[in-house]
Amino acid sequence: MGKIVYSCITPHGGEIIPELAGKQPKRMEKTRQRMCQLGKRVEAHHLEALIIITPHGIRIDGQFSIINSETVEGSEQENQRTYYMIRETDRSLAKEIAQEAQNMNLPCGLLNFGTAEGPLSRLPLDWGAVVPLAFMPDVPVVIITPSRLNSNEDMLAFGKALRTAVDKSDKRVGIIASCDWCHTHDASGPYGFHPLAKQVDERVVEYIKKGEIEALSEISKEEIEQAKPDGIWQALILAGAIPKSERAVDFLSYEAPTYFGLICAEISHE
């Protein structure tokens, strides 16, 4: 019988990775320290697979995208430096998650490239996965990217399907909801400034601290458009996988040192 033995919410700003900090290492220092802490906690749980839910992977409109290639390969570039990784995919777990989603009539697609198997079966790994994985043990991964065209209810239901698949497996599994938050904190950033960024991030912090992750679905379309969070959907999938009755949250940090918000939180299981 398989089990989700660890889960967390992490950010994915490239400068968090120590090798990419550049000339301003203190800019994301608090988050970097907390990510190192989360990585050590994950290591202690001796995982056999790690599921990463990222907003920046290969997206299929209206479907949940699940990578099913032999390996994934990616890099992140910041401050004229590059961080590179390659990871093995847990294909059996990926297929089990897809099957359980289909059993619940949730639209999903298994993705491959090149060849059906072997060294040419490889897909790109996005920064939403590369950054948190830089702090984690090297175990097989499952990379999932939701489509924002699906409802919040679908996100929660997909989390339940994911949980069922893990329970039916024989593996100790961890889940990372890779989430940056509002992207309009700074006028010099690519999305400009909006006062809702601070307000929405404050609500997100409150919801996560209270373990009320489902409440993220209350953030309105207008708030999403103006504040531009990109963590709601991944966190809702995590909420579906870890029911509120099982959650014990250790909220480690929040900061917005540039134009977007960063949260580190452990969602442990009671």
Side-chain angles (χ1 to χ4, degrees), residues 108-126:
C108 68
L110 284 165
L111 306 180
N112 201 348
F113 177 79
T115 58
E117 58 187 18
L120 296 180
S121 171
R122 180 174 296 175
L123 278 165
L125 194 62
D126 68 283

Side-chain angles (χ1 to χ4, degrees), residues 209-226:
K209 282 183 175 180
K210 291 181 177 180
E212 297 175 356
I213 304 174
E214 292 87 350
L216 293 170
S217 62
E218 298 174 7
I219 297 173
S220 70
K221 291 182 179 179
E222 178 184 0
E223 290 171 317
I224 290 170
E225 177 62 28
Q226 301 296 340

Side-chain angles (χ1 to χ4, degrees), residues 5 10 35 52 80 105 135 148 194 201 211 232 249 256 258 260:
V5 297
T10 73
M35 285 299 296
I52 299 91
Q80 292 78 53
N105 296 315
F135 296 86
R148 297 184 187 183
H194 200 284
D201 270 4
I232 294 172
V249 176
T258 59
F260 56 97

Side-chain angles (χ1 to χ4, degrees), residues 15-34 79 81 253-258 262:
E15 288 187 39
I16 301 168
I17 298 175
E19 293 88 338
L20 303 182
K23 296 180 180 179
Q24 300 187 65
K26 293 187 178 297
R27 182 152 63 185
M28 295 185 181
E29 183 176 24
K30 178 166 70 172
T31 297
R32 189 177 301 114
Q33 290 175 349
R34 296 312 183 194
N79 300 308
R81 300 177 182 181
S253 64
Y254 169 83
E255 63 175 341
T258 59
L262 310 170

Side-chain angles (χ1 to χ4, degrees), residues 64-84:
F64 294 90
S65 165
I66 306 172
I67 286 183
N68 186 36
S69 54
E70 286 274 0
T71 57
V72 285
E73 176 184 37
S75 62
E76 174 64 2
Q77 295 181 333
E78 295 281 354
N79 300 308
Q80 292 78 53
R81 300 177 182 181
T82 300
Y83 184 90
Y84 167 83

Side-chain angles (χ1 to χ4, degrees), residues 13-188:
E15 288 187 39
I16 301 168
I17 298 175
E19 293 88 338
L20 303 182
K23 296 180 180 179
Q24 300 187 65
K26 293 187 178 297
R27 182 152 63 185
M28 295 185 181
E29 183 176 24
K30 178 166 70 172
T31 297
R32 189 177 301 114
Q33 290 175 349
R34 296 312 183 194
M35 285 299 296
C36 290
Q37 186 176 351
L38 287 173
K40 290 177 181 178
R41 293 182 182 184
V42 171
E43 186 78 47
H45 281 79
H46 305 290
L47 302 183
E48 295 168 279
L50 190 54
I51 298 168
I52 299 91
I53 311 165
T54 168
H56 301 304
I58 302 171
R59 281 179 270 185
I60 308 173
D61 284 352
Q63 298 193 45
F64 294 90
S65 165
I66 306 172
I67 286 183
N68 186 36
S69 54
E70 286 274 0
T71 57
V72 285
E73 176 184 37
S75 62
E76 174 64 2
Q77 295 181 333
E78 295 281 354
N79 300 308
Q80 292 78 53
R81 300 177 182 181
T82 300
Y83 184 90
Y84 167 83
M85 70 168 55
I86 183 169
R87 291 287 187 270
E88 177 187 350
T89 299
D90 190 323
R91 302 184 79 180
S92 63
L93 184 56
K95 291 174 183 176
E96 289 164 4
I97 294 170
Q99 183 60 60
E100 292 301 329
Q102 291 164 3
N103 291 345
M104 296 180 66
N105 296 315
L106 294 168
C108 68
L110 284 165
L111 306 180
N112 201 348
F113 177 79
T115 58
E117 58 187 18
L120 296 180
S121 171
R122 180 174 296 175
L123 278 165
L125 194 62
D126 68 283
W127 67 96
V130 169
V131 174
L133 283 175
F135 296 86
M136 302 297 160
D138 186 358
V139 298
V141 298
V142 177
I143 310 297
I144 297 171
T145 301
S147 167
R148 297 184 187 183
L149 297 180
N150 294 102
S151 67
N152 292 332
E153 291 75 17
D154 282 349
M155 303 298 163
L156 292 166
F158 186 85
K160 293 178 182 178
L162 186 157
R163 171 67 175 269
T164 300
V166 171
D167 288 348
K168 289 182 178 180
S169 76
D170 59 353
K171 296 168 182 173
R172 295 171 56 83
V173 178
I175 302 176
I176 295 175
S178 180
C179 308
D180 285 341
W181 296 94
C182 293
H183 282 63
T184 55
H185 284 278
D186 190 333
S188 64

